[in-house]
Amino acid sequence: MTIIKNYITIFLGLMSFITFAQENKDDTSYKKRVLEATEVDFLTSYYSQNGDNAAVSGGIGTEKLTDATGTFVVAIPLNEDDVLTIDAGVSAYTSASSSNINPFDGGQRADPFVASSGASSSDVWVNLTGNYSHSSDDRNNIVSGKISVSSEYDYFSLGFGGSYSRLFNEKNTELSLSANVYLDSWNTIYPFELRAFGNNGIGFFRPTEITGNVNYNPSFTEFDKTNRNSYSLGLGFSQILHKNLQGSLALDFVKQQGLLSTPFQRVYFNDVADSFIEDFQLADDIERLPKSRFKMAMGGRLNWFVNELITVRTFYRYYFDDWGISSHTASIEVPVKITDRFTLYPSYRFYNQTAADYFATYETHLSTEEFYTSDYDLSEYQANQLGFGVSYTDIFTKMHIWEFGLKSIDLKFYKYDRDTTFSSSIITAGFKFVMD
C-alpha cells in the first residue's frame, strides 16, 4: 500500500503543478464557466444473456445471466475553470454459469446446463470514481485526473490516471493524451471439486459418488500470485474537416501483468478419462494463461451532419494482441431528429475476431500443454448488434424534481448475437438533471 500511496501523492502533486502553471492571474476579464450549474445523471440498465458454452464448466453448459445496474454521475462546478465529477454505481447480477463454481450446493441434480442455487449464483459489484478537470482561461488546455475503486466478492481494483487535451486552430483541432493504471487483486475461488487437491487439500470430498473414471486425481496447483496490474496509454486526434463533417483518430496501448487467468474456469483434457458426479463432469484443471498481455487498438470516427434533422456517425477499430487475437469493429448510428425535443437513434455494429493461441473447445486441450482455456470470449467468432433508441431533450428544463430541472431522457435497446450459441440484450435509460 505504501507504493500505491506514493503513486497517488506524486500524481496529485503533478496535477497541482500543471494547474498552477496554466492559471493566468493577470486576466480579470469575464470568462464563461466550463460548467454553468451542477448536473446529475442517473443511469440504469437491465442486461440478459444466454448461450451453451460456459467457461465455468469448460466450454459447455448454460451461460444464462441477468444484470441490473444503477449509477449516479454528479458533475459539480468548483469555479469558472474546475469541475469535480463523482461517479458511483452498483451492479447486481444472477448467473447460472458462475453458480456452477460449486454445482453441488443446490437442491437439484448437478448439471452444467442447470443453474445451481448456491452462494455463487449472484453477486454485487460496486464502483466509485472521482474525476477532477481544469480548463485554462482560453479553454484551449484541459487537464484532468481521476481515482477509482471497485469491488465484488472475488475481486478488488484500485485505479488512477489522468489526461491532457490541447485545442488549437481556433478550436477546430484537438490533441489528447491519457494514461491510466489499475492495480487489481483476486480472492481466488476455485472449482469446488478441485479445492481438496490444492496446496492444503486432503483428498476428494465425495469419492464414493464418482462415476466414469473413479480414480479421479487431478494434477492441480493453486496460483502463487493473485494480483494483476494494467497500464494504458491513449492518444487522440480530432479535426473539424468541414462545417458539417468531423473526424477523429485514436491509438491505444494496454499492458497487463499478473494473474490474467480466471481461477474458477474449468478445462477438460482430451487425454484424461472423464469423471462425473451426477451429471456434472469434474474438472481436469483450471484455465491457465500467460502472466503478461500486450494489446493495441487503432480506430477512427467520422460524423457527418447531413442537415438539421439527420446525422450519420460512423466508427471503425482494428485491435490485436500478443495472445493471437485480432479483431475488426465497425458501427454506424443515424440520429434522426423528428421534433425539437425527440430524436431517434437506430444503430448497427459488426464485430469479428480470431481465436487466441491458447483457446480450444471442450475436451480438445492436452494435459501436456502449458497454457489452455475454453472461454469462448477468446474464441474465433463473428457478432452483430442492432440498436434503437429515443431521446427527449428540454433545454428549458420545465419539469422539476426539487431544485433540479429535467434536461433530457434517453432510452436505448440493443440486441447482440454471435455466430456461436451466445446472444444478449440490454435496455438502458438515462436521466439528466440540472440545478436551477
Side-chain angles (χ1 to χ4, degrees), residues 320-337:
F320 68 92
D321 62 32
D322 59 359
W323 284 9
I325 293 179
S326 62
S327 70
H328 300 271
T329 306
S331 67
I332 183 169
E333 183 181 59
V334 185
V336 180
K337 191 172 184 179

Side-chain angles (χ1 to χ4, degrees), residues 43 79 135 141 159 212 249 287 289 298 322 340 416 422 433:
L43 311 172
N79 49 49
S135 298
N141 297 276
L249 298 172
E287 172 184 85
L289 294 167
M298 58 191 77
D322 59 359
D340 290 340
Y416 173 88
F422 184 89
F433 298 90

Side-chain angles (χ1 to χ4, degrees), residues 102-105 110 192 203-210 277-278 282:
N102 182 0
F104 312 107
D105 61 353
F192 186 70
F204 191 60
F205 67 114
R206 291 162 64 174
T208 60
E209 299 179 48
I210 298 177
I277 286 184
E278 297 174 351
L282 306 180

Side-chain angles (χ1 to χ4, degrees), residues 87-108:
D87 184 331
V90 177
S91 174
Y93 74 82
T94 59
S95 170
S97 62
S98 67
S99 75
N100 282 326
I101 294 173
N102 182 0
F104 312 107
D105 61 353
Q108 71 288 321

Side-chain angles (χ1 to χ4, degrees), residues 191-209:
F192 186 70
E193 67 271 26
L194 290 176
R195 297 174 195 174
F197 296 89
N199 297 344
N200 300 311
I202 57 174
F204 191 60
F205 67 114
R206 291 162 64 174
T208 60
E209 299 179 48

